[in-house]
Amino acid sequence: MSGCECKPGRAKPTIIRCGYECKPGAKRERDSAKPEAKGAAINNLLRCRSMLLDVHARIKETLKATIRSLWNIDPPEIALNQTPKIEMGELASPVCFELARALKKPPKAVAEALIAAAGRIETVRKMEVAGAGYINFYLDRAAVVRGGRVHATKTDAGKAIVEHTNINPNKSAHIGHLRNAAIGDTFVRVLRHSGRTVEVQNYIDNTGVQVADVIVGFKYLELKSLADVRALINDPNLRFDYYCWDLYAKVSGFYEASDPQHAKRGQTLKEMEEGNNETADMAELVAMTIVRYHLSTMARINVAYDLLPRESDILHLKFWEKAFGQLKERNAIFFEPEGKNKGCWVMRLETEGHDDDKIIVRSNGTVTYVGKDIAYQLWKLGLLDRDFLYQPFDGNRKVWATTSAGGSIEHPPFGRGNIVYNVIDVRQSYLQNVVHQGVLALGYEEQAKNSIHFSYEVVALSPACADQLGIELSAEDRKRPHVEVSGRKGQGVKADDLLDTLETEACKEVGTRNPDLSKADIDKIGHQIAVGALRYFLLKFTRNAIIAFDFREALNFDGETGPYLQYATVRGNNIVNKLRETEPDFDFNQAYRFLDDPKLPGMLDAADDIWELLYSASRLNEIAQQVVSSLEPASLAKYAFTLAQRFSLFYHRYRIMSEADPDRRLFYLLVVDYTRQALTSALDLMGIEVPQRM
RNA sequence: GCGCCCGUAGCUCAGCUGGAUAGAGCAUCGGACUUCGAAUCCGAGGGUCGGGAGUUCGACUCUCUCCGGGCGCACCA
């Protein structure tokens, strides 16, 4: 196999385009296997995506080989860092500090010896000792820019399943759900960008307690029939999901006053499970109606799904019975004959003692939520000897839903994921761990390792924001950095309300800045900006940072925001548009032919600031990889912002169109086009569009 | 009680598997539009990285401990 090789003997990557050469014999370094690093498993499957990563690999290999031959010792892992300044080279390794101790020589001397013996490394222009003993690597700038145009390689590493959104279908979506979807969807886009096959699942808990509570509200609090509910749904003057939001908040009061034992909830759940009665029909109608609202809310922020697995189908198709059998057979769970869990089937968790046993099947024989989740997880991994039936959701063949009867004979292959990511907030860590243990207890070690809880922190409200929403706060609450919201109490920021506000504000701005635009154009651009602001806002925080939601911050369009990134990209596009307008005959390929111009390297070397911009733009695939292995979409957001900052700086510092020197002008145009493409891709990975104008 | 997470500039947050002088945005103050549009750019002030001990050539990063905050740990989901 020539060119790139990812995983000899297993994966057969289809090379779409490869503009640079890998040494045929060069072994690509694998990540050392760390069982505790969840993302590590797939790193090996994602090679040859980026020319810069190939350079990293070559440097590491060369240094290791040189260390071996010079001193006859086992080389340590070679760390490669960014240098503090681009003038000091692009990459730096502190490895000589470590070697110095083993060799009992000063780090600088070690570095000098290493550099002298290493010889030439492809794409590395020079190596230099720096600081107290770093080795700094100066890359061949022109080669990096040429290689940076390499496009995605399709890998054949099997299917990744990403489960996200998963909103209880009993009320409208809120800001917390938007964070889940933004993180999940961005991760999906990054995986696909990396050449992975991805299936997106949005689990529908249509037979759960939350749906039951709303049904209790309709039936016993509002005394509504199925026909009444249907009339509500068809009423064009009200939003049914908003209606349920309020109703759900009232139900807790109803339980307190009229049904403290929650008998009505139990009865409703039972009727829902049995089916073929008005309660079940009402639950089905309510849940699926709200699912449609959720899908349209998510569509507004460019989030879509491949499959909607429904809990009712897991029930009706007896997934649990199958899983139960497997769990019993492998002694993964056992019957508790005595004690506080008498009569239950429990799973013993890793910790000592019986106190931590997790009940999977209750003494009355019903299965808990975790039990069903284990069955679902097993199905996702292709380990459950049973499958759903499928049909297009509302006749749309882009989104499929599971079903228990009928279904399409022909449907895409669902499930059987090689790796499964569950995007679920951190509060469910305990339960996700139980699911993980379940898979492990069945003996599926590899699959358990590939069952990943992609956890993230919640969205709370800043006290000021809670105040604004009319939520009552204690004096203590006011001092806190954030206040948790409660859907049960009807508190929180509804997703569509927030989007509406953002769109209104954005349209206002667009209108004042572009008085000549039509209403339709303003609306379109306003929408794109609103989505950009929202998605960037939700992505810029790292996963385990609690977002204290604040309207002032979320509605901001200046500084580190989505619109800033969009604006930078639009400016780049404007230059290209302007050129097409003023010089219709201009051949844009000229700029790319300049890649092979002998004057290019000199120009790149002469302008560190421009090179820093181009180098930054070249790192997109590297960053995408980082997101996959670290499960941290925020690093993509930060990267994109830095790139936009550098472009803005360049834009300000250089006049492109009016540049008199023709070569220089071509060079600048190349920089603009190269960068705007990287920015556009980075934004696309975050689900953010680039408006035509701003 | 057990477990997980957090504490970095006035505020909100970055800081890659330990590495060079700890960075952004917002806010404040002061500058830059006759140009590819200022949703931009430049400059200024602002830090005992919660406290202490340890490991290391080197600690915001790792270990221990204390302080302060958040969240989990149901025959709920």
Side-chain angles (χ1 to χ4, degrees), chain A residues 29 69 73 79 85 106 114 116 132 222-223 246 297 319 387 407 431 433 496 511 513 515 551 677:
Chain A
E29 196 222 338
S69 71
I73 55 170
K85 281 181 182 170
L114 205 46
E222 301 199 323
L223 306 173
D246 295 332
T297 301
F319 274 32
D387 199 1
L431 290 173
N433 188 35
D496 281 312
R513 288 159 202 269
F551 280 107
Q677 281 183 29

Side-chain angles (χ1 to χ4, degrees), chain A residues 146-163:
Chain A
R146 275 183 226 118
R149 296 203 78 213
V150 173
H151 293 297
T153 309
K154 192 81 183 163
T155 63
D156 185 18
K159 186 200 278 182
I161 290 177
V162 179
E163 177 196 336

